[in-house]
Amino acid sequence: MIERRVVTNALASLLGTATGLPVGKGVLPAGGATAYYVLTPLDSSLSGAPYADMSEDLSLVIQVTSVSAPDKSRPGTAGTLEQAEGLADKARAAYLARNPTTGQWTNPLTVTGVRCMCRELEVEPGAMNDPADGIISYVQRFRFDLTPA
């Protein structure tokens, strides 16, 4: 069986490495950055394996919230839609970009004993803001279909 926790950790690592930005798993990342991601595991489903195969496939959805926050060292600043959309573009590229020559994913999802069959942007609700504190966020949900390697 594919362990969801291990996949979540690998997805967070892939996003952080590909973008060079902090990623929190279900929480704000430590450090007080003004641009960061919050990765939240959402839905998952297991497909029933054939009788002769004891390994189920896993389909999971993660939500990536791209956050543009005020710079606390400069009072009166606010996050910007431009920055939040730029972060969303980077997240989309991190998970979905392919090498045009080989067709392989630009950023491999490395999970021992697991192969990723499909990656897709499931829904992109887009930007949301909180005018009270100047935080702009941008939400995307990605689906990953995995099978034992």
Side-chain angles (χ1 to χ4, degrees):
M1 180 175 289
I2 299 170
E3 294 182 37
R4 184 177 177 123
R5 171 188 52 82
V6 174
V7 176
T8 298
N9 291 339
L11 289 168
S13 178
L14 185 160
L15 182 61
T17 300
T19 64
L21 293 166
V23 178
K25 292 181 287 182
V27 297
L28 301 177
T34 60
Y36 55 88
Y37 298 102
V38 176
L39 186 143
T40 307
L42 298 177
D43 303 332
S44 65
S45 63
L46 290 172
S47 62
Y51 181 71
D53 178 3
M54 298 303 289
S55 302
E56 288 89 4
D57 294 338
L58 174 67
S59 180
L60 60 92
V61 176
I62 60 155
Q63 177 171 296
V64 174
T65 305
S66 304
V67 181
S68 173
D71 184 346
K72 293 179 182 172
S73 68
R74 297 183 346 194
T77 62
T80 66
L81 178 60
E82 178 77 19
Q83 184 180 40
E85 286 184 323
L87 293 169
D89 290 341
K90 287 181 180 181
R92 200 177 309 105
Y95 287 136
L96 303 179
R98 290 182 179 259
N99 179 311
T101 304
T102 65
Q104 298 297 311
W105 303 111
T106 302
N107 300 298
L109 177 59
T110 306
V111 179
T112 302
V114 175
R115 184 171 59 87
C116 185
M117 300 179 297
C118 178
R119 303 179 187 188
E120 64 185 3
L121 180 64
E122 186 168 84
V123 67
E124 189 165 331
M128 297 176 280
N129 67 325
D130 187 344
D133 57 12
I135 294 176
I136 308 293
S137 61
Y138 195 101
V139 175
Q140 298 167 298
R141 292 186 185 136
F142 296 90
R143 176 174 299 281
F144 296 86
D145 294 330
L146 309 164
T147 193

